[in-house]
Amino acid sequence: MNERNIASQIIAEVKKAIVGKDPVLVKVLAAILARGHILLEDIPGVGKTTLALAFAKALDLQFSRVQFTPDVMPSDVTGFSIYNKATGTMEYQPGAVMCNMFLADELNRATSRTQSALLEAMEESQVTVDGVSRPVPQPFMVIATQNPVGASGTQKLPDSQLDRFLLRLSMGYPSEQEELELLRRRQYGQTMGDVNRVVGRDQLEQLREVVDRVHVSEEIMQYIIRLVNATRKHPQLLQGASPRATLAVTNLSRAVAFLRDRDYVVPEDVQTIWVDAVAHRLLLVPGAERSVNVQEIAHAALRGTDAPRIR
């Protein structure tokens, strides 16, 4: 079975647990193949946790979950040292983040100190406890969920943390037909147990290496840079897209091209993930939220930037 057939099979297995939402599933897989982290922002009960569990099963990843609340401590995430009386030494006790896929459920209910405990793991794939740095297992990814900002008990994630998420996605309500299919599946006993392993960790790394080799032409690179610069010059933005956003869009475009059975990127690949990869990194000037939102500005940058013609 070739690499692209494997990717299709991964999506097929996840769809046993998630009804509909095909565009979201494809983007989540693209982010995983691009070695990135994913932020799922939506109301409770639409399947965010189920989606993460389904991908973990299909990819045979060691899974860990923390339900974030104000009393969760940074050491719950990163681990801590404890004195061993028998050996007379301090021993490291691994935290929840020592896994392949870490689900940070309702991350924006945690304190700022606890939220920041994830930053080092997300950016440098390591945690530092008592001055000693320890690598997290590979592959490693964070899927964080957050309730809409302003919901009870939530606080806004800091800009530095948002910038470390490759994508921000929203699943939304299912259609009437999709919700009917969900009820049918539950009635006949179809559960998460029906999701089968498709690849192991080594095979996932091989898929990522194939994605890394997808060609990005000079014209596409310049197109991405023009898009990013359009956000930096927008009068209603205090903060445009960062260089990390430029890299994120490029890497995601490679993954989308791969999933579309191509070994080169075209403008449509960039356009597919542009808003989801960039909007959460933009910061409006004070008062601008009354007339515009960051998604609209990201869409405007896309409409106002000429795409190259790729032969």
Side-chain angles (χ1 to χ4, degrees):
M1 184 183 295
N2 66 38
E3 291 89 353
R4 290 173 179 82
N5 287 339
I6 292 174
S8 298
Q9 192 174 342
I10 292 169
I11 294 293
E13 288 299 321
V14 173
K15 287 175 68 174
K16 293 179 180 179
I18 300 292
V19 180
K21 310 303 175 189
D22 290 12
V24 173
L25 300 186
V26 170
K27 289 176 182 177
V28 169
L29 181 56
I32 291 171
L33 294 176
R35 308 173 192 270
H37 310 293
I38 303 150
L39 179 63
L40 299 175
E41 182 182 74
D42 220 321
I43 61 171
V46 294
K48 302 185 295 292
T49 303
T50 302
L51 180 148
L53 282 166
F55 270 105
K57 287 200 68 174
L59 299 171
D60 195 28
L61 299 175
Q62 181 186 356
F63 181 84
S64 182
R65 172 188 177 186
V66 169
Q67 180 71 46
F68 281 88
T69 57
D71 59 352
V72 173
M73 300 295 292
S75 58
D76 297 326
V77 177
T78 61
F80 55 91
S81 297
I82 189 170
Y83 181 70
N84 187 326
K85 291 175 64 177
T87 62
T89 60
M90 299 295 289
E91 292 185 356
Y92 172 67
Q93 302 298 311
V97 81
M98 287 297 188
C99 61
N100 299 122
M101 180 180 283
F102 178 65
L103 176 61
D105 223 345
E106 296 186 303
L107 180 59
N108 62 336
R109 293 184 63 205
T111 63
S112 299
R113 186 179 173 206
T114 302
Q115 290 173 7
S116 65
L118 269 179
L119 292 179
E120 185 182 13
M122 292 174 69
E123 186 67 17
E124 301 171 39
S125 295
Q126 66 178 28
V127 295
T128 301
V129 177
D130 294 332
V132 179
S133 296
R134 294 175 173 84
V136 296
Q138 292 299 323
F140 174 74
M141 67 205 72
V142 173
I143 297 182
T145 72
Q146 70 168 351
N147 295 334
V149 174
S152 177
T154 65
Q155 57 182 319
K156 188 177 183 295
L157 293 178
D159 302 329
S160 59
Q161 185 145 26
L162 285 173
D163 199 35
R164 283 167 169 80
F165 286 104
L166 205 63
L167 284 177
R168 180 176 65 179
L169 299 169
S170 177
M171 296 181 70
Y173 288 118
S175 67
E176 290 186 9
Q177 193 60 40
E178 289 168 350
E179 203 155 8
L180 180 60
E181 175 62 20
L182 176 64
L183 292 176
R184 286 172 177 157
R185 290 187 184 186
R186 293 301 171 91
Q187 182 169 322
Y188 294 110
Q190 289 178 276
T191 63
M192 185 66 69
D194 296 314
V195 178
N196 297 313
R197 172 188 182 274
V198 179
V199 296
R201 281 163 262 186
D202 291 340
Q203 290 169 298
L204 174 58
E205 190 56 38
Q206 290 171 8
L207 288 177
R208 287 174 160 186
E209 289 172 0
V210 173
V211 170
D212 290 341
R213 295 194 294 270
V214 171
H215 178 66
V216 183
S217 68
E218 191 76 16
E219 293 86 354
I220 293 294
M221 291 183 194
Q222 292 172 356
Y223 177 50
I224 293 171
I225 290 171
R226 290 199 303 272
L227 285 167
V228 168
N229 280 331
T231 68
R232 295 171 183 171
K233 297 173 182 176
H234 199 283
Q236 290 179 295
L237 286 181
L238 186 64
Q239 176 180 290
S242 67
R244 188 185 280 120
T246 308
L247 294 171
V249 172
T250 305
N251 293 337
L252 279 166
S253 299
R254 282 192 175 102
V256 171
F258 166 78
L259 294 173
R260 291 173 172 174
D261 204 17
R262 270 185 280 101
D263 59 3
Y264 59 92
V265 175
V266 299
E268 287 77 11
D269 302 326
V270 178
Q271 294 159 4
T272 296
I273 50 81
W274 166 254
V275 175
D276 295 317
V278 168
H280 62 287
R281 308 171 196 267
L282 307 179
L283 186 62
L284 293 167
V285 297
E289 64 276 0
R290 299 189 189 96
S291 58
V292 71
N293 60 47
V294 289
Q295 287 83 6
E296 291 169 349
I297 291 176
H299 278 294
L302 204 56
R303 292 192 301 269
T305 305
D306 293 332
R309 293 184 179 180
I310 304 298
R311 295 182 181 178

